[in-house]
Amino acid sequence: DAKTTQPTSMDCAEGRAANLPCNHSTISGNEYVYWYRQIHSQGPQYIIHGLKNNETNEMASLIITEDRKSSTLILPHATLRDTAVYYCIVRVAWGYRGNQFYFGTGTSLTVIP
Amino acid sequence: ETGVTQTPRHLVMGMTNKKSLKCEQHLGHNAMYWYKQSAKKPLELMFVYSLEERVENNSVPSRFSPECPNSSHLFLHLHTLQPEDSALYLCASSQELYNEQFFGPGTRLTVL
């Protein structure tokens, strides 16, 4: 699976949009971009995933560049409860033995009142 | 109960104790996972079960023993642990093997 690069930490003002970048320059054509987050001392929570089209759900939007070498997770109106570590993961979507989700160190987002 | 539940939420044990962690998923999923998360480290996948068959065992010491009696329940039996085994132990499940995973709240384990 391709590797990802994320900033170590970011701050965002409450009520503003949080834009979390992820670089995945070696992504393959059949690999999806997944985002999870982990609030302190809780289990990771699935947020969204996509292949090449932009995706939106009730939690966030995922913008993938046309060359698919980078993406941005957007939390449109950040709240204090969005303070968490955000993980960007790229992998093929279908399951097979060894096709793990590798949770790296992620981006620690702090939403500031 | 909905989602993935784990008990206990906190556990303190001595190195000579035997204890078990329990995970239950109420999502009708076919695959279940144990992860370990030590302080300031990424999640480490420990064991994977698909349809009650163990399909992954990522070089985990034998003092950790998983059990999956059915597709809804997963246990992690612990014996003669070391202080460095203190960590957050997370259970997850997915509809199919290695699809999107849903995590439980974790068990915070402290080994004295």
Side-chain angles (χ1 to χ4, degrees):
Chain A
D1 289 340
K3 293 192 174 184
T4 63
T5 305
Q6 298 178 253
T8 303
S9 63
M10 294 180 62
D11 293 338
C12 177
E14 187 179 17
R16 304 296 294 269
N19 297 288
L20 293 99
C22 180
N23 287 324
H24 31 79
S25 58
T26 60
I27 192 170
S28 300
N30 59 355
E31 289 182 316
Y32 284 67
V33 181
Y34 288 81
W35 284 85
Y36 278 77
R37 74 178 181 184
Q38 187 175 22
I39 296 170
H40 181 63
S41 291
Q42 296 182 23
Q45 177 188 23
Y46 166 80
I47 300 174
I48 199 168
H49 75 285
L51 182 63
K52 53 183 178 181
N53 297 323
N54 297 337
E55 302 287 345
T56 296
N57 63 21
E58 64 278 4
M59 289 183 67
S61 294
L62 174 60
I63 308 299
I64 302 174
T65 57
E66 193 167 342
D67 63 7
R68 303 210 322 122
K69 293 185 177 182
S70 65
S71 59
T72 301
L73 179 74
I74 301 173
L75 309 178
H77 306 286
T79 71
L80 299 179
R81 288 181 293 181
D82 292 321
T83 293
V85 177
Y86 288 76
Y87 300 99
C88 172
I89 303 164
V90 294
R91 62 186 286 279
V92 295
W94 54 90
Y96 59 87
R97 195 165 182 158
N99 187 25
Q100 303 175 18
F101 279 90
Y102 286 100
F103 294 84
T105 52
T107 295
S108 178
L109 175 70
T110 301
V111 179
I112 302 169
Chain B
E1 292 267 24
T2 58
V4 182
T5 58
Q6 291 186 243
T7 54
R9 295 294 309 276
H10 300 271
L11 178 62
V12 179
M13 59 187 289
M15 290 190 285
T16 58
N17 291 157
K18 289 185 180 181
K19 297 287 185 183
S20 295
L21 308 185
K22 179 182 176 182
C23 175
E24 185 173 1
Q25 58 95 1
H26 310 268
L27 301 168
H29 288 170
N30 293 324
M32 297 187 76
Y33 313 79
W34 279 117
Y35 285 85
K36 174 185 177 183
Q37 189 172 35
S38 303
K40 300 190 185 301
K41 288 186 178 181
L43 275 75
E44 302 171 52
L45 182 63
M46 300 175 72
F47 300 105
V48 181
Y49 278 83
S50 177
L51 296 172
E52 302 145 47
E53 176 190 355
R54 192 190 309 180
V55 297
E56 299 280 1
N57 178 349
N58 285 355
S59 303
V60 179
S62 59
R63 58 185 182 270
F64 295 91
S65 176
E67 179 190 3
C68 187
N70 55 62
S71 61
S72 298
H73 294 85
L74 186 65
F75 294 90
L76 188 63
H77 304 299
L78 316 171
H79 63 97
T80 59
L81 294 192
Q82 305 298 313
E84 59 264 29
D85 297 322
S86 298
L88 180 67
Y89 287 85
L90 292 157
C91 173
S93 71
S94 63
Q95 179 64 51
E96 303 294 337
L97 181 64
Y98 288 127
N99 283 1
E100 294 86 72
Q101 294 171 24
F102 294 81
F103 284 79
T107 295
R108 174 68 62 186
L109 174 67
T110 303
V111 181
L112 301 176

